[in-house]
Amino acid sequence: MAVLMRFSGDFGDGVALNARNFLTQADAFTQTQEAAFFASIRLRNGTYKTTDHHRLDDLNMLVIGEWKKLGSKPSQIMDVGVSSGISSLEWADALTRADIDAKILATDLCMRGSLVRLLPGYEVLLDRDGKVLQHIVANRPVRWYLNGPRDFLKGTGFVVAALNTLAGVLLPLTNMREGGRDVLLVNPRARDDARLSFAEDDILAPNPARLRGRFDAIRVSNLLNHGYFNETQLRRAVSNLRDRLVGAGSFLIVNRTLANGTNHGTLFRLSCANKFEVVAELREGSEIGDIVLSA
């Protein structure tokens, strides 16, 4: 148990926030606990649902300022790769203050999980494919992934490996997600805001009909970069996103937040020739600007 406690960790004030706490105690946890919880959720594609409050404030100011200059008031907006959704909520607040009445569809590869009880005192959070995103043992969260040989040196690797094996044996006996509790992995305030709706989305997959030609503006922050995708995948993603825009005069925003907290993004506008043009840049601009412009 000592290994488990050291491994799972307490989030600042002695309370370990797991998926069940997140589901049932939405009003009781702090911003620090929320950020630690999302940072602990590693998706099966290797990305994390990291989040932070007010990390895109300067990007919001740039975009809204340019829209004011152009007299644009987008009403249908898509926010891609939103993690916890808190940045979507903050964007909605900034738009409202600027007298822009917009509905935002916030998407991520994994927006929902299913909380399944396997044994007394043991639950797992599953993704839509039935893969474990988090173990919960005696109310303590335990990750499903290993951080290399050092985990075994500390003893935690054996805990992870054992729980992964146990879940693999027990899950087929429980009909996987049947009877599990749905967990929307979204900040509680964002979840309850009428300006926002949420959906799972893979920007590399063929576009669903319901998304094509729908949006006046699309923002993609901390997703479209060379660290996550190769050039072929980036071009496919940009093509898919362009297909979701309503047409000439609509906008694409691509941003990356660096490790030092600075944002580097570009506001593009779709021309009558169905090509993207640069409207404005924040600091060094998007690192995939050449890909967007040549799409």
Side-chain angles (χ1 to χ4, degrees):
M1 180 60 72
V3 170
L4 177 60
M5 291 177 67
R6 184 175 69 250
F7 173 67
S8 60
D10 289 335
F11 298 154
D13 57 3
V15 179
L17 184 60
N18 58 50
R20 180 165 23 82
N21 300 145
F22 186 78
L23 176 65
T24 60
Q25 301 174 20
D27 297 327
F29 54 79
T30 65
Q31 288 186 12
T32 300
Q33 288 175 304
E34 176 192 336
F37 168 71
F38 282 110
S40 74
I41 302 297
R42 180 181 177 181
L43 307 182
R44 289 288 166 166
N45 65 355
T47 63
Y48 293 82
K49 290 187 71 68
T50 52
T51 187
D52 199 6
H53 291 243
H54 300 293
R55 64 176 177 168
L56 300 180
D57 284 356
D58 55 353
L59 179 67
N60 292 340
M61 290 177 61
L62 172 76
V63 170
I64 291 172
E66 293 299 324
W67 285 350
K68 284 183 176 180
K69 293 178 188 177
L70 295 169
S72 297
K73 289 190 175 184
S75 61
Q76 293 295 321
I77 294 175
M78 186 176 203
D79 201 6
V80 179
V82 301
S83 189
S84 75
I86 188 61
S87 294
S88 301
L89 176 61
E90 291 167 349
W91 195 17
D93 288 341
L95 290 168
T96 297
R97 290 193 296 269
D99 195 30
I100 298 176
D101 183 17
K103 297 292 186 182
I104 299 177
L105 174 63
T107 71
D108 205 279
L109 186 63
C110 180
M111 296 297 299
R112 294 184 177 275
S114 181
L115 193 61
V116 178
R117 182 176 181 268
L118 297 181
L119 292 172
Y122 177 39
E123 295 170 284
V124 289
L125 177 68
L126 305 178
D127 65 13
R128 60 186 174 188
D129 297 320
K131 303 296 185 181
V132 175
L133 294 176
Q134 186 181 79
H135 301 278
I136 305 172
V137 182
N139 204 40
R140 291 191 170 271
V142 181
R143 50 183 160 88
W144 62 269
Y145 55 92
L146 295 170
N147 282 328
R150 62 181 180 176
D151 271 353
F152 290 98
L153 293 175
K154 294 186 296 183
T156 56
F158 298 103
V159 175
V160 174
L163 288 175
N164 286 341
T165 300
L166 181 61
V169 171
L170 295 178
L171 279 170
L173 305 178
T174 62
N175 294 321
M176 301 296 281
R177 297 171 61 158
E178 189 172 309
R181 289 188 290 174
D182 183 62
V183 182
L184 182 61
L185 298 170
V186 167
N187 171 276
R189 289 195 300 116
R191 178 193 62 204
D192 297 333
D193 195 288
R195 296 167 298 180
L196 305 179
S197 57
F198 299 91
E200 292 188 336
D201 176 39
D202 181 355
I203 59 172
L204 296 181
N207 273 336
R210 61 185 175 82
L211 298 181
R212 299 183 66 183
R214 174 176 168 183
F215 300 100
D216 305 303
I218 297 176
R219 181 176 73 177
V220 190
S221 188
N222 297 309
L223 181 62
L224 293 185
N225 60 70
H226 295 289
Y228 283 159
F229 302 114
N230 59 40
E231 184 166 333
T232 299
Q233 291 172 319
L234 289 169
R235 290 188 181 280
R236 184 189 314 157
V238 171
S239 178
N240 279 346
L241 293 172
R242 181 178 58 187
D243 192 41
R244 298 178 182 187
L245 292 170
V246 296
S250 52
F251 299 91
L252 175 65
I253 305 149
V254 184
N255 175 73
R256 186 174 188 180
T257 308
L258 301 186
N260 62 7
T262 61
N263 289 305
H264 300 261
T266 302
L267 172 64
F268 301 93
R269 182 169 54 178
L270 198 59
S271 72
C272 294
N274 205 33
K275 294 285 188 178
F276 285 112
E277 303 171 336
V278 173
V279 176
E281 291 183 321
L282 180 61
R283 298 186 177 88
E284 297 179 6
S286 169
E287 67 182 69
I288 68 161
D290 57 334
I291 293 176
V292 176
L293 293 175
S294 65

